[in-house]
Amino acid sequence: MRGGRHIAAVTSASFDLAPGECLVLVGESGCGKSVLASALLGLLPGNAQTAGTARVGGIELLGADERTLARQVRGRLIGLVPQSPAAHLTPVRTVGAQLEETLRALTDTPRRELRTAAVAAAERAAFPVSHLDRHPHELSGGLAQRAATALALIGDAPLLLADEPTTGLDRDLVDRTADELRRHTDDGRALLMITHDLAAAERIADRIAVMYAGRIVELADATSFFGTPGPRHPYARGLLAALPERDFTAIPGMPPELGDLPDGCAFAARCDRATDLCGTRPALTAQVACHHPVMSATEQESAHA
């Protein structure tokens, strides 16, 4: 709720995520990606309301109380790499102390082995061991991001939520972080990654979910999304076309305000395929929410047969 009115930040988001699978959620800023992650962990503001069902490890997350979330979910069933790591690191404790505390809480590491285990956790996330005795305010944004990633990987939770985990990192560290998250997934755990970095998404994703104006508008296999036939939703195709290594062509216009969404397709005002039919809201059918999805060559042949 904002200013006395209800704003639907995320609507009708539906997907599953299997062990050993990486689903990457992409979309422009403000489309609801981080709100979705926060809802799963019970980290929304007190005036937020949720409805629906989200299950991990037999626990219904959206209806769970704070005690259940704190003791059974966060860190144990779901690990979080936060979008703003500095806000999640304890300012008065060193990174090494926080790693050791998390190891004590989530693992059976003997006290005498905590420092060695903390070093291993830091190295796993490419955090320099020489900085373990520093406090969060002594870290750059990129180092804080790597510290948060190290903390999130401790405990090997069956689901990892990584919200912009490569923010502030150079390309080499982006690739290294993405590869470590992929290894975490390949060991039989699930990963939901939120990112603007489509190169990182292409590197590790099994599936891509594209969000626009609070809704998932396309779910696609990553290989076909980044290759052939490519995305089916015009917005998703626009995201790829905006990349420097592709057309480097921006999507015209701006996303609508979530408090002032049109009755029909929220992307219609920016879409060159829009018709009068787009005045009605499209449902997510065949993994795409669009009245005029881009058809593959095979679909075009079938349509003209």
Side-chain angles (χ1 to χ4, degrees), residues 1-2 5-12 27-36 44 211-217 235 254-267 270 281:
M1 179 178 291
R2 181 187 297 171
R5 15 174 228 149
H6 289 276
I7 295 176
V10 178
T11 305
S12 303
E28 290 167 292
S29 296
C31 70
K33 304 186 300 297
S34 294
V35 171
L36 176 59
L44 292 173
M211 182 170 274
Y212 186 77
R215 291 176 175 268
I216 292 177
V217 297
Y235 172 65
M254 296 291 292
E257 293 289 335
L258 292 178
D260 190 28
L261 294 177
D263 293 331
C265 173
F267 187 62
R270 307 173 72 188
R281 182 170 294 172

Side-chain angles (χ1 to χ4, degrees), residues 155-288:
D156 291 324
L159 171 62
L160 184 65
L161 295 183
D163 191 356
E164 299 289 356
T166 59
T167 298
L169 305 183
D170 62 35
R171 195 72 245 168
D172 287 343
L173 283 173
V174 166
D175 291 345
R176 182 168 175 178
T177 299
D179 290 346
E180 184 55 54
L181 294 175
R182 183 69 245 186
R183 278 191 289 273
H184 179 86
T185 307
D186 289 340
D187 285 339
R189 303 173 189 92
L191 170 64
L192 175 60
M193 186 169 88
I194 295 167
T195 187
H196 290 94
D197 190 336
L198 290 176
E202 184 175 8
R203 190 176 183 89
I204 69 170
D206 295 301
R207 287 189 296 150
I208 300 291
V210 182
M211 182 170 274
Y212 186 77
R215 291 176 175 268
I216 292 177
V217 297
E218 183 165 2
L219 278 164
D221 173 80
T223 301
S224 63
F225 184 89
F226 289 106
T228 302
R232 302 189 66 201
H233 196 285
Y235 172 65
R237 296 185 80 88
L239 288 179
L240 286 187
L243 294 176
E245 62 269 26
R246 300 213 179 198
D247 296 341
F248 205 27
T249 302
I251 302 173
M254 296 291 292
E257 293 289 335
L258 292 178
D260 190 28
L261 294 177
D263 293 331
C265 173
F267 187 62
R270 307 173 72 188
C271 182
D272 60 6
R273 301 171 68 90
T275 66
D276 290 344
L277 182 60
C278 301
T280 60
R281 182 170 294 172
L284 185 69
T285 56
Q287 304 302 296
V288 60

Side-chain angles (χ1 to χ4, degrees), residues 149-160:
T149 300
L151 287 165
L153 292 174
I154 291 174
D156 291 324
L159 171 62
L160 184 65

